[in-house]
Structure formats: structure tokens, C-alpha cells
Amino acid sequence: TLSKDTVYVLTGIYIVDSTYTLTIPSGTTIMGDTVATLFIARGGKIMADGTKDEPIVMTSRRPAGQRAAGDWGGVIILGSAPTNRSTEPVIEGGVGGLGGSGGTKAAYGGSNPADNSGVLRYVRIEYSGYRFSPNNEINGLTMGGVGSGTTLEYVQVSYSLDDGFEWFGGTVNARYLIAMGSQDDDFDTDFGFRGNLQFMFSVKDPNRWDSDASNGFESDNDGSGTAAVPFTSAVWSNVTVIGPLRVDGSSLPAGSNHQDGLRIRRNSQL
């Protein structure tokens, strides 16, 4: 259990292992340094229950005014809810080798749709997305096989170098999610994610985009567009996605790779 009277600094990958619970009180600040990542392994729990007046803030260790996307890793939560993978998947982002060559700490998914990974409520995640190697960044909030017993609401991801939020399988429901200035996609769903999501907002920064194209939504059943079940079939309600066009009508910067509001492809049943 942390204390809101202490500013915590992460300097590496902090693993909340199976059977352990990390409790973060409202008003707590956590600062990340380079590869720093808060990693909730399958079977572990995070109880980050902030309030409107005292949110939990996870941000860059750099001084205010010098912070930038990719300053630290981000937050990864893994659970035991179903995915559509025939073999046990390992989470993306450069942390697949945790626990040895088999990546046992980074494995996720299972047969429990009601799995409970804890609570994220009134949490801000800022300047995340550390790049371990090209095209190998951590998202602001990455979820693999997270179940419907988990509470996820009032979470804001700001200035992630990769996606704001990404779900790989799982059944977690969520409300009140905000993605601000994500360099890649705002909301990304893969591998059979089936949650119900309501009251979402995102807005792009015209001057920031990803080499693979920046979208509001991106959704795939899997990378090859197979008919693996369960299909990626999340239900989204009451969503506002604001694109990168400038208010004054001027052009986007040369080379801009902003693409679609909704990039729904590869057999997604979103």
C-alpha cells in the first residue's frame, strides 16, 4: 500500500506478481523514468481508486514543461479472461521476455470472463510509451485478457507515444475514458475483446502522428483477419472522437500521417 504523502519514482519494470495486490490511495503521484513500467501480472491486482478531487497521477519524472511522449513506459494489466488465440499470448511492447525466455510474467488470457484485476478509477497516465525498439512501444494503458470483474472508469491517457488505450482480448467494461494527443491510435481493440464501453472522448494533436498511421479507433480480430472466436466485438456508446484538422482550416504539417477516425478491419465485428 502506497501513501499519497510520498512521490514515488519508478526506474524499471515494477511487477505486481500473481496473488499480490498494489493499493494506490487517491492523491498519490507516481513518476516514471525511461523504461519504467507498472506491470500487473495475471493473477495480481491493482487497487488505484482515486477521486474527482484527488486523482492518482502517473507521469514523467522530467520537470513540468520538459515532459514529452515516451518519457516512461506506462501501465500494463494482464488477466485471465478469454482471448481468441489458440496458444497463450504474450503481451506486446518490449516486455515479452519477463520471467525468462518463455515470457511467463507477460502471458495473459484464460477461461474466466469474470476475472478481476482490481480498480482503476480517477487515474491520469501522462507522457508514456517508451520505445524499446522501432515499432515496439508500450501503450498508455495496455490490457491483456482483463475480465469483467475489473472496474475501469474515469481514466485519462495524455500524450502517449503509442496508443492511448489498447485491449487484447478480455471482457472488461469501462466508462469515462479520455485519450489526449495519442501519437498512434486513441482506442485499439484486438484478439477477441468483447467489453461494453461508454462515454469516451479523444482528441488528436495535429503535430503528432505515428509512422504506421494515427487513427481514432483501430480494431482487428487479429493481425491476419481470421475467423478466430470470440470475435473482437466490443460495443461502444456515446463516443466523441475529434480529429487533427486545424480550427483555422490550414493544412496539416508536411508528411502528416493522420488517417482515419475509425479504422475497422481484419474481420473485426466491432
Side-chain angles (χ1 to χ4, degrees), residues 218-264:
E218 185 171 271
S219 184
D220 304 280
N221 199 43
D222 57 33
S224 303
T226 72
V229 292
F231 282 102
T232 300
S233 53
V235 176
W236 299 76
S237 308
N238 308 97
V239 181
T240 298
V241 175
I242 298 178
L245 294 180
R246 298 183 183 276
V247 211
D248 60 8
S250 60
S251 320
L252 291 170
S256 167
N257 204 21
H258 291 287
Q259 189 168 13
D260 301 315
L262 297 106
R263 191 187 200 188
I264 314 303

Side-chain angles (χ1 to χ4, degrees), residues 23-43:
T23 300
I24 307 176
S26 60
T28 301
T29 298
I30 297 173
M31 292 184 169
D33 188 2
T34 60
V35 301
T37 301
L38 182 56
F39 189 101
I40 314 302
R42 183 171 54 185

Side-chain angles (χ1 to χ4, degrees), residues 97-188:
L98 288 176
S101 59
T104 52
K105 301 291 186 191
Y108 65 93
S111 58
N112 181 13
D115 189 42
N116 183 356
S117 295
V119 174
L120 247 70
R121 182 188 284 122
Y122 285 111
V123 174
R124 274 203 339 260
I125 302 169
E126 306 172 339
Y127 306 106
S128 57
Y130 177 78
R131 179 172 287 150
F132 285 87
S133 60
N135 298 313
N136 207 15
E137 308 92 356
I138 295 176
N139 303 298
L141 177 58
T142 305
M143 292 157 280
V146 176
S148 61
T150 307
T151 299
L152 178 63
E153 55 186 18
Y154 302 103
V155 179
Q156 176 170 324
V157 175
S158 303
Y159 304 108
S160 169
L161 191 67
D162 200 30
D163 298 336
F165 298 83
E166 185 158 11
W167 293 260
F168 292 93
T171 53
V172 64
N173 302 311
R175 302 185 307 160
Y176 305 107
L177 304 186
I178 298 173
M180 296 281 293
S182 305
Q183 187 155 314
D184 198 357
D185 309 313
D186 298 324
F187 306 112
D188 196 339

